[in-house]
Amino acid sequence: MSSSPQPCGVLLFFLVVLCASFNSSATGIEANQSAWLSVDAAQASARKIPETMFGISFEEINHAGAGGLWAELVSNRGFEAGGESIPSNIYPWSILGDESLLIVSTDRSSCFERNKVALRMEVLCDNEGPIICPAEGVGIYNPGYWGMNIEQQKTYRVLMYVRSSESVNITVSFTGSNGARTLATSNIVSSDVSNWTMIEVLLEAAGSDPNSRLQLMTTRKGVIWFDQVSAMPLDTFKGHGFRQDLFQMLADLRPRFIRFPGGSYVEGEWLRNSFQWKVTVGPWEERPGHFNDVWQYWTDDGLGLFEFLQLAEDLGSLPIWVFNTGISLNDQIDTTRILPFVQEILDGIEFARGDPNSTWGYVRAAMGHPEPFNLRHVAIGNQDCGKTNYHGNYHKFYSAIKNAYPDINVISNCDASSTPLDHPADFYDFHVYGDANYVFASARNFDRTARLGPKAFVSEYAVTGKDAGNGNLLAALAQAGLLVGLERNSDAVEMASNAPLFVNVNDRRFNPDAIVFDSSKVYGTPSYWMQTFFKESNGAMLLNSTLGAKTSASLAASAILWKSSDDGRQYLRIKVVNFGSSTVNLKITIDNLDSNLIQAIGSTQTILKSSSLMDENSFKEPHKVIPVQSPLKAAGKSMAVLLYPHTFTSFDLLTLLTMSQAI
């Protein structure tokens, strides 16, 4: 993900011409224009789509992880976000009670070597004597990421490190946003915390509030130090720390790969703020966190390399690790000094795949995963091909990785869609950003790409600018056309994923995004729902199909044979995008398939449409633009169907084909 996205890749000349004239052709079909689609169901002409064709691309952008998928409720849990110098800014932590009754500051007294900053709270009042604390006490609170979602009858684990020369009596509570309503509370009473002590409290909520906060209060005079304060729901996915509803949105796409952790997040504005995997593994309380300077917010790195690999495994997806090549957006390492960076990545691969007795495999095993992760793909950098040192650095990384791990697939940042690469690679990265017409026209980008050599990984695609809004039907249709084209060219394209994936509605850094959420709610944009049309394409059989019309520039179509994982039956799916403003009478014919093998009962059509191209989903109307399924009563070898303006339609014909017949 680029912080200044532009259309990426080099289109062939005929596509440049098409893009320039597309405004007229996209709406050029006249009312009741006729078109035809011929599908060849013969085994001899079919081709298997890669098992990894469609997946997802995760970037720490828009608070996708911190304050999103990673279910940690406390923001700036280690008090490190204000920097190493003290006193420091502890935002969003705030003081509770009369400020004359306590002094809150930071010092460098933590027991953790990689994150030395701790919070020091000196309480000047007491429960007796000349200065009496208020009955509720004084202390600090944390509002989380625009409010903590606390739900009735759910249990939350609160962990913190505490130190004091005196005995402590601390009230730990979840309250409403103004502190007036207590949702859950417990007391920590300890006579000896003279050394840093980890304290754990389980809080069961007696009420619900999506804008809650965590409070730490006391009525005793003295000095208390706090560090690494964490609060998480117990019901994360498999206890792995992923927010259930956001994880389910990903799982429902059935992604066959997940690319992580970015995007420009991998590079950083400056190398000092790039994603450095070694400080993101091990016990969470020992991770120093870092400033995400590309997207301008702090992350505690709870979502580190281990968690990304675990996420891929939980989703049943192949992990694709994008790593830094010694290049940021503003500085870079000369190739003569790149070898320490190369060793970092070799260590990272050992962490993912190494024997539990190896140096870094042991660290992974200690984190609870003795078995190796299935890491088979790495990308050398992100959008770095034009950088001065990229080619030199690339060769160093490539040679070292292939020597140590010859089975790993290496992805280059350089485009080979029209010109062969001048360096070895297994795949090459390709991004598609632009207005709706550009993205729809890019469906044909790989029509003339050589079928020999590395295949494309379209790791980022999106409609941007005014066409996109906050994620509308227009963007979804353009992207549907692109994916139909990529599917048809799946002998030249191995993988494709939309970006960005998530956006916390309180911190939109990039539009549009597939999944929108806040502390308690989530919905999919039309582009998210568009992607559900392709989740059965991975590993399916692509059938030869030919589309014809007087002017077909606003139509895109493909046909596949796929087996349902739900009922085990075989379906022939025809997907058609009508990007134009007129209804099209489409005549579909299916050749080389016995008509008796098509069943009308059980066949369906699914349509993504709305009353306006600019329609969007929202928290108020999360299902305004979603696919609608209905029976396909006219299912057969020959069908006359209507393609309504600005629609994406899937015709799923239930067949009696056996698996051997479909392969």
Side-chain angles (χ1 to χ4, degrees):
M1 179 64 56
S2 169
S3 55
S4 300
Q6 297 293 332
C8 299
V10 179
L11 288 175
L12 296 175
F13 176 75
F14 82 95
L15 273 179
V16 175
V17 174
L18 175 61
C19 203
S21 62
F22 200 67
N23 277 323
S24 59
S25 64
T27 58
I29 294 181
E30 298 175 356
N32 299 320
Q33 172 66 44
S34 296
W36 55 266
L37 178 68
S38 175
V39 177
D40 184 359
Q43 298 179 42
S45 64
R47 169 169 47 82
K48 188 173 182 180
I49 297 171
E51 294 283 353
T52 57
M53 185 67 196
F54 295 109
I56 54 179
S57 181
F58 182 98
E59 178 166 7
E60 183 58 270
I61 179 177
N62 306 321
H63 276 88
L69 181 63
W70 187 243
E72 173 64 63
L73 297 176
V74 178
S75 176
N76 190 17
R77 69 185 181 195
F79 308 103
E80 303 289 332
E84 297 181 359
S85 300
I86 56 163
S88 59
N89 187 355
I90 62 170
Y91 179 84
W93 290 92
S94 297
I95 291 174
L96 264 175
D98 189 334
E99 293 184 12
S100 67
L101 300 179
L102 75 166
I103 300 170
V104 174
S105 61
T106 53
D107 62 22
R108 294 183 55 78
S109 65
S110 174
C111 60
F112 301 112
E113 289 302 317
R114 293 193 297 187
N115 42 11
K116 295 299 295 182
V117 177
L119 183 136
R120 180 184 187 274
M121 185 174 78
E122 182 177 359
V123 179
L124 306 176
C125 59
D126 209 338
N127 51 19
E128 60 183 8
I131 306 177
I132 303 296
C133 290
E136 67 274 11
V138 295
I140 55 176
Y141 74 90
N142 187 291
Y145 299 90
W146 302 282
M148 299 179 179
N149 183 38
I150 302 302
E151 298 179 78
Q152 187 171 1
Q153 296 185 333
K154 285 194 175 182
T155 302
Y156 301 82
R157 176 181 287 113
V158 179
L159 290 169
M160 68 187 77
Y161 284 77
V162 176
R163 180 170 70 89
S164 180
S165 59
E166 308 290 338
S167 62
V168 297
N169 188 333
I170 303 167
T171 301
V172 182
S173 306
F174 288 122
T175 73
S177 59
N178 62 4
R181 182 187 179 205
T182 299
L183 304 173
T185 189
S186 181
N187 273 10
I188 297 172
V189 179
S190 179
S191 59
D192 183 11
V193 287
S194 55
N195 294 315
W196 281 106
T197 304
M198 188 188 79
I199 295 175
E200 175 179 337
V201 177
L202 294 179
L203 298 179
E204 183 176 344
S208 299
D209 190 330
N211 295 304
S212 303
R213 67 192 195 187
L214 176 69
Q215 297 186 170
L216 306 177
M217 307 281 284
T218 187
T219 58
R220 287 191 181 177
K221 185 177 181 178
V223 179
I224 306 174
W225 282 266
F226 294 101
D227 198 13
Q228 297 301 327
V229 182
S230 169
M232 292 188 81
L234 288 187
D235 67 343
T236 62
F237 184 78
K238 290 187 175 181
H240 291 161
F242 307 122
R243 181 173 146 178
Q244 283 275 12
D245 56 345
L246 301 189
F247 179 90
Q248 193 59 50
M249 291 291 284
L250 301 184
D252 287 347
L253 291 175
R254 299 179 193 167
R256 296 308 297 269
F257 68 83
I258 175 171
R259 171 184 181 254
F260 63 84
S264 297
Y265 175 70
V266 171
E267 302 161 282
E269 286 284 351
W270 301 94
L271 280 171
R272 63 178 177 269
N273 291 319
S274 61
F275 181 83
Q276 299 171 28
W277 77 267
K278 283 185 178 177
V279 295
T280 75
V281 300
W284 61 268
E285 62 269 27
E286 296 180 10
R287 303 181 192 184
H290 77 285
F291 181 58
N292 177 357
D293 61 356
V294 174
W295 305 116
Q296 294 295 299
Y297 60 87
W298 177 262
T299 169
D300 289 311
D301 284 331
L303 193 57
L305 179 58
F306 178 89
E307 288 74 22
F308 281 118
L309 292 166
Q310 185 65 68
L311 175 62
E313 184 174 277
D314 288 347
L315 288 168
S317 308
L318 285 176
I320 300 179
W321 180 24
V322 184
F323 61 76
N324 188 284
T325 60
I327 297 173
S328 77
L329 299 181
N330 289 296
D331 60 343
Q332 51 187 298
I333 302 298
D334 188 86
T335 301
T336 59
R337 297 190 293 275
I338 199 63
L339 289 183
F341 289 77
V342 174
Q343 188 58 51
E344 287 285 296
I345 301 310
L346 293 177
D347 291 346
I349 298 174
E350 181 179 279
F351 173 81
R353 297 180 32 154
D355 185 275
N357 296 318
S358 65
T359 300
W360 287 103
Y362 177 84
V363 175
R364 182 198 68 242
M367 295 180 71
H369 202 286
E371 303 83 8
F373 286 108
N374 189 24
L375 180 64
R376 288 187 270 152
H377 296 73
V378 296
I380 301 181
N382 172 71
Q383 295 183 164
D384 290 333
C385 185
K387 304 288 180 64
T388 302
N389 295 331
Y390 181 73
H391 282 77
N393 292 1
Y394 176 92
H395 282 286
K396 296 291 186 182
F397 282 103
Y398 181 90
S399 297
I401 292 169
K402 285 296 188 179
N403 284 337
Y405 303 96
D407 63 311
I408 281 188
N409 292 300
V410 174
I411 303 165
S412 168
N413 284 180
C414 299
D415 176 23
S417 62
S418 57
T419 304
L421 294 176
D422 61 0
H423 55 269
D426 297 294
F427 303 103
Y428 63 92
D429 201 4
F430 191 92
H431 296 180
V432 180
Y433 288 111
D435 62 27
N437 287 332
Y438 176 88
V439 171
F440 186 83
S442 296
R444 300 183 181 180
N445 189 61
F446 295 94
D447 286 357
R448 298 185 183 180
T449 295
R451 267 48 184 169
L452 299 177
K455 295 174 68 175
F457 175 22
V458 183
S459 66
E460 298 183 17
Y461 67 83
V463 172
T464 56
K466 64 181 181 180
D467 283 355
N470 287 328
N472 55 34
L473 177 62
L474 174 61
L477 294 177
Q479 292 168 183
L482 171 66
L483 294 196
V484 165
L486 298 183
E487 184 171 86
R488 291 176 62 88
N489 284 293
S490 55
D491 52 346
V493 179
E494 182 76 10
M495 299 174 284
S497 51
N498 177 227
L501 185 60
F502 283 116
V503 59
N504 186 313
V505 73
N506 296 286
D507 188 39
R508 286 186 183 271
R509 301 279 172 169
F510 194 104
N511 273 329
D513 310 275
I515 302 168
V516 184
F517 66 91
D518 62 11
S519 70
S520 62
K521 301 183 294 298
V522 61
Y523 68 84
T525 63
S527 291
Y528 171 86
W529 293 107
M530 175 277 296
Q531 292 177 63
T532 65
F533 284 67
F534 292 88
K535 62 185 181 181
E536 284 85 12
S537 293
N538 295 307
M541 299 300 295
L542 179 72
L543 303 178
N544 248 353
S545 60
T546 304
L547 180 65
K550 183 184 295 184
T551 53
S552 60
S554 62
L555 297 178
S558 66
I560 64 170
L561 278 172
W562 63 280
K563 181 180 180 180
S564 170
S565 58
D566 297 325
D567 59 24
R569 296 191 288 184
Q570 301 287 332
Y571 291 84
L572 192 159
R573 169 171 291 180
I574 298 168
K575 297 188 291 289
V576 189
V577 183
N578 182 1
F579 198 54
S581 59
S582 299
T583 299
V584 176
N585 297 308
L586 180 66
K587 175 73 171 180
I588 299 174
T589 57
I590 302 172
D591 300 322
N592 297 311
L593 181 65
D594 192 321
S595 59
N596 293 325
L597 294 178
I598 299 176
Q599 301 291 295
I601 298 176
S603 295
T604 61
Q605 69 174 10
T606 306
I607 304 178
L608 183 67
K609 65 177 182 177
S610 193
S611 58
S612 169
L613 265 178
M614 308 310 284
D615 278 350
E616 302 176 357
N617 293 331
S618 64
F619 290 128
K620 186 177 180 180
E621 295 182 278
H623 296 154
K624 185 174 185 177
V625 188
I626 63 170
V628 176
Q629 188 179 88
S630 60
L632 182 60
K633 297 177 181 178
K637 285 191 59 173
S638 180
M639 299 184 295
V641 298
L642 284 179
L643 301 177
Y644 295 103
H646 306 136
T647 56
F648 182 27
T649 307
S650 172
F651 303 98
D652 283 277
L653 282 67
L654 174 62
T655 74
L656 297 179
L657 289 169
T658 64
M659 195 61 187
S660 61
Q661 288 174 305
I663 296 177

